[in-house]
Amino acid sequence: MFGSLTRGDGGLFDEFRRLQEEIDSLFDQWPATMGVRSVVRGTFPPINVAATPDQFEVYLFAPGIDAKKLELSIQQNLLTVAGERQVPVNEAATYYRRERFTGEFRRAVTLPEDADPDRVDARYRDGVLQISVKRKESAKPRMITLN
Amino acid sequence: MAANQEVVGRQADSLQHEARRPEIVLRPATDIFEDDDGITLQMDVPGASKERLTLQVNRDRLDVEAEVQIDMPEGMEALYADVRSTRYQRTFALSSELETGNIDAKFKDGVLTLRIPKRQEVRPRKIEVRAARAVAAGARRRFCAAARWRGRTKWPG
């Protein structure tokens, strides 16, 4: 039931994951519409996007990176984050599992049209990069008063 | 290589309270390596921190649980989510030569590093190899000398 520490094989969880991936790949073959910038599930770093009436919040779950070396850019409503994660390898050690992502990454998020590229704020805490993008004032719902 | 995977797991207590509703937990991506002194586990648990981490050792079972906490403004509505849970969980079976009472845990930028030392008596000891060639050469000289006595001259092999 548990991923054993000293064995390479994965046990039930890996078996389950393999099954899940197989099902996912089955669904991929369906002629469903796919976003041009969408990525395969499991791509590093995972992203969550949320919205409030005032702003959009983008969360990138990218632990163990140097936030200063991240490249963030926004063009109209397309937000791009690129960076690199280096996992140092202990040459003297024997590795049993290497599941953590290492290398360069790039992810793009298409925000709704009313994202304001001039008002973006980003911070990195506990391995999560949070990017707040304000919504354009003009797009906010307004109260209309009757004369 | 992949990011954290979602696993459908069931909690013992939720089993009792709720009618078998599976709860999604995140299975943190983990690197495991061993050197002479112990085993190191490195786990990706972004959004978790020292305060929201539970490490439990039960005999030779190590349970790691962590809670994600991220800033979420009021009235937030999800548009897209790769991460669909706020709880990490993973269990490892340890082996008996590990000193489970002496685990060292470090947290940095959403990466948890656990260092489990091996018991002193099972750490590999360097075995001194004595000057084998000199010994062999001596043996060969002695053999040759003996062989001459018996009329044999060739060293076997």
Side-chain angles (χ1 to χ4, degrees):
Chain A
M1 167 147 188
F2 312 123
S4 176
L5 257 181
T6 46
R7 268 186 301 139
D9 69 286
L12 193 65
F13 278 130
D14 280 352
E15 199 52 26
F16 183 80
R17 184 169 56 172
R18 187 187 57 76
L19 188 74
Q20 205 174 31
E21 276 166 10
E22 267 176 30
I23 293 168
D24 280 352
S25 69
L26 255 174
F27 277 96
D28 281 346
Q29 287 164 15
W30 286 15
T33 327
M34 185 191 75
V36 282
R37 294 191 182 90
S38 70
V39 293
V40 177
R41 244 188 103 65
T43 301
F44 184 89
I47 289 181
N48 281 12
V49 185
T52 69
D54 296 325
Q55 65 202 59
F56 298 108
E57 297 286 348
V58 180
Y59 303 92
L60 278 93
F61 297 82
I65 55 163
D66 185 356
K68 288 187 202 95
K69 286 188 188 155
L70 278 172
E71 254 177 68
L72 260 96
S73 66
I74 187 162
Q75 189 186 6
Q76 296 209 25
N77 59 337
L78 177 68
L79 176 74
T80 311
V81 182
E84 193 179 11
R85 178 161 96 154
Q86 288 298 353
V87 175
V89 176
N90 185 342
E91 298 288 350
T94 310
Y95 277 79
Y96 299 113
R97 270 170 192 275
R98 287 171 97 162
E99 298 170 350
R100 296 166 66 223
F101 174 87
T102 176
E104 291 179 5
F105 60 85
R106 175 179 292 271
R107 283 207 72 171
V109 182
T110 313
L111 293 169
E113 295 286 324
D114 60 329
D116 189 344
D118 296 324
R119 290 188 298 156
V120 185
D121 173 55
R123 55 211 171 277
Y124 185 68
R125 208 193 72 190
D126 291 338
V128 180
L129 176 71
Q130 184 174 354
I131 308 164
S132 308
V133 184
K134 292 268 188 246
R135 297 176 95 146
K136 284 178 185 153
E137 291 294 332
S138 55
K140 276 190 197 168
R142 265 171 302 183
M143 291 291 277
I144 299 159
T145 41
L146 284 171
N147 291 321
Chain B
M1 287 300 280
N4 297 329
Q5 303 285 334
E6 284 175 5
V7 181
V8 180
R10 273 188 204 131
Q11 286 316 102
D13 53 350
S14 69
L15 260 181
Q16 286 163 5
H17 299 307
E18 292 172 57
R20 284 202 203 104
R21 214 184 75 196
E23 185 200 6
I24 292 175
V25 293
L26 302 166
R27 180 177 184 263
T30 307
D31 286 351
I32 302 175
F33 58 86
E34 176 175 2
D35 55 28
D36 289 351
D37 304 325
I39 280 188
T40 305
L41 288 87
Q42 286 182 311
M43 312 175 85
D44 279 351
V45 283
S49 73
K50 220 186 291 175
E51 295 75 40
R52 298 182 298 277
L53 170 80
T54 320
L55 287 175
Q56 242 177 4
V57 180
N58 194 347
R59 288 180 163 202
D60 54 0
R61 218 182 91 160
L62 170 67
D63 279 295
V64 183
E65 264 190 60
E67 203 78 34
V68 180
Q69 201 176 55
I70 48 178
D71 293 341
M72 288 192 290
E74 285 280 305
M76 209 171 80
E77 176 200 348
L79 297 181
Y80 174 83
D82 279 336
V83 181
R84 290 174 207 175
S85 172
T86 55
R87 216 157 68 81
Y88 294 107
Q89 190 188 50
R90 199 156 174 181
T91 304
F92 302 92
L94 304 173
S95 47
S96 58
E97 77 271 17
L98 298 171
E99 255 184 86
T100 48
N102 208 356
I103 300 178
D104 177 59
K106 280 197 187 76
F107 228 112
K108 193 175 183 265
D109 290 338
V111 179
L112 170 68
T113 304
L114 297 177
R115 173 90 191 145
I116 316 170
K118 287 183 197 170
R119 291 187 204 286
Q120 200 69 46
E121 62 268 23
V122 295
R123 287 187 197 177
R125 261 166 294 181
K126 270 264 161 68
I127 297 161
E128 203 64 43
V129 180
R130 284 190 295 156
R133 279 182 64 189
V135 171
R140 185 180 171 144
R141 253 197 315 277
R142 277 195 297 279
F143 174 84
C144 289
R148 257 200 306 274
W149 284 110
R150 290 186 216 113
R152 273 169 62 192
T153 48
K154 211 163 175 250
W155 176 257

